[in-house]
Amino acid sequence: MMPSAAVPDAGPSGPQSAARGADACPIPQAPPRVRLIAIGDEILSGRRQDKHFAKLIELLQARGLRLHAAEFISDDEDDIVECLRRSFATPDLVFCCGGIGATPDDRTRQAAARALGVPLALHPEAARLIGERCAEMAAKGQGSADMSTPENQQRLQMGVFPAGSEIIPNSYNRIPGFFIRDHSFMPGFPVMAHAMMAWTLDTRYARWHHRESRVEHSFLVFGLPESRITPALEALELRWPGIRAFSLPNVGDSGGHPHIELGVKGAPEAAAEALAWLRSEVLSLGGRLEPPV
């Protein structure tokens, strides 16, 4: 069972916003931007393949949300501090994966504290959960339940977070991540991080689920160069403000015919109108909707 974690009803500025009372600003209709920061030399060197990018997109789409940006950075503490300082200055919802363990190459907790200008402190709930985990392992004959041993004292470092943090429960092994200023920090292990992402989205940010209705439509076009259709794409975005057009060329390197995937994304009704118009423009410019025989 996942450990409980008290979470006040919070908007994009974090749990503290719940205390603003009647003077709080109205919630904007559009959900805030969501970003991913993946931390780890092993990702950048290719020793490990990132598994968080695709999974976060999947989790967001299931809740009517979308990923706006992703950043991959090294384990260098100064690099992490610089990245997080920029990130904390935004109102975005950010998921940070990696580097929250207690070995010398895990520097994310320290970097987050530096970026915020706050001290590190052992979180009491984290200490309790780590103690429970040690006791569980001791009952299986692995290690000791005595939290004063050097080994367990080292494990407690995984509960040392920037002051003011709240925990993110970890259903896999109890050892929590932490949340502060709309940044959710979790381990690099997908088996832990992905459940923590889902918990965060459903517990802290349920108010943003399916807030806006967006669709994405596309079709394949053959025998039409991008240069010929580009003016129509530009005209489409002017005619339907809020609708984004896209063009994804394929040179046929996988054995098929060269083609372009053209599409639109945005509000459903406007997107449907724009798509129909774009199709007619393609045909009028000599494009085909079926591959050549």
Side-chain angles (χ1 to χ4, degrees):
M1 178 180 293
M2 187 173 288
S4 62
V7 180
D9 184 16
S13 56
Q16 293 81 3
S17 64
R20 294 178 183 171
D23 294 332
C25 296
I27 300 172
Q29 290 303 305
R33 289 163 47 96
V34 181
R35 292 187 289 110
L36 169 69
I37 299 174
I39 301 168
D41 290 344
E42 68 277 10
I43 301 292
L44 299 178
S45 70
R47 185 179 294 273
R48 295 281 178 88
Q49 297 298 309
D50 169 72
K51 301 290 181 64
H52 304 306
F53 179 77
K55 186 63 178 183
L56 182 55
I57 290 173
E58 174 191 322
L59 293 170
L60 290 169
Q61 288 179 342
R63 294 158 176 81
L65 297 166
R66 56 197 173 104
L67 185 66
H68 288 79
E71 189 168 358
F72 296 83
I73 60 174
S74 74
D75 285 315
D76 181 84
E77 187 172 329
D78 289 338
D79 287 349
I80 303 171
V81 170
E82 180 184 355
C83 174
L84 291 178
R85 278 182 179 151
R86 286 187 283 104
S87 190
F88 282 126
T90 73
D92 300 348
L93 313 183
V94 182
F95 292 83
C96 302
C97 300
I100 67 169
T103 56
D105 58 332
D106 292 316
R107 308 300 299 171
T108 302
R109 294 177 295 105
Q110 298 88 330
R114 282 178 56 193
L116 290 167
V118 300
L120 288 163
L122 179 60
H123 193 289
E125 179 71 0
R128 181 184 68 79
L129 291 167
I130 293 170
E132 290 179 359
R133 174 62 175 173
C134 292
E136 289 175 353
M137 298 304 292
K140 297 176 182 179
Q142 302 175 33
S144 169
D146 180 358
M147 296 308 295
S148 68
T149 65
E151 187 173 325
N152 285 342
Q153 285 292 301
Q154 182 64 30
R155 288 193 174 105
L156 283 174
Q157 292 301 307
M158 291 187 287
V160 173
F161 302 143
S165 297
E166 301 174 38
I167 69 162
I168 302 174
N170 180 346
S171 59
Y172 184 80
N173 68 357
R174 293 183 181 269
I175 299 175
F178 65 97
F179 171 91
I180 189 166
R181 293 271 295 274
D182 279 312
H183 284 58
S184 299
F185 293 85
M186 51 202 63
F189 297 105
V191 70
M192 303 179 193
H194 296 171
M196 296 165 88
M197 287 176 177
W199 181 91
T200 298
L201 287 168
D202 293 339
T203 306
R204 294 190 183 278
Y205 300 127
R207 68 195 305 173
W208 298 114
H209 292 188
H210 304 288
R211 180 61 67 91
E212 63 178 2
S213 180
R214 291 178 57 85
V215 296
E216 183 171 316
H217 301 301
S218 67
F219 59 95
L220 301 185
V221 178
F222 300 86
L224 186 70
E226 271 193 308
S227 56
R228 194 183 305 168
I229 194 62
T230 296
L233 299 177
E234 294 170 342
L236 182 153
E237 292 192 348
L238 290 174
R239 184 169 178 176
W240 285 276
I243 296 298
R244 298 284 298 276
F246 61 88
S247 174
L248 302 173
N250 185 306
V251 298
D253 54 319
S254 298
H257 294 282
H259 62 270
I260 307 171
E261 182 181 1
L262 294 179
V264 297
K265 48 191 173 184
E269 184 175 348
E273 294 174 0
L275 184 76
W277 181 86
L278 182 58
R279 238 191 223 107
S280 68
E281 288 295 299
V282 164
L283 295 173
S284 70
L285 291 170
R288 300 187 299 274
L289 304 184
E290 299 291 338
V293 179

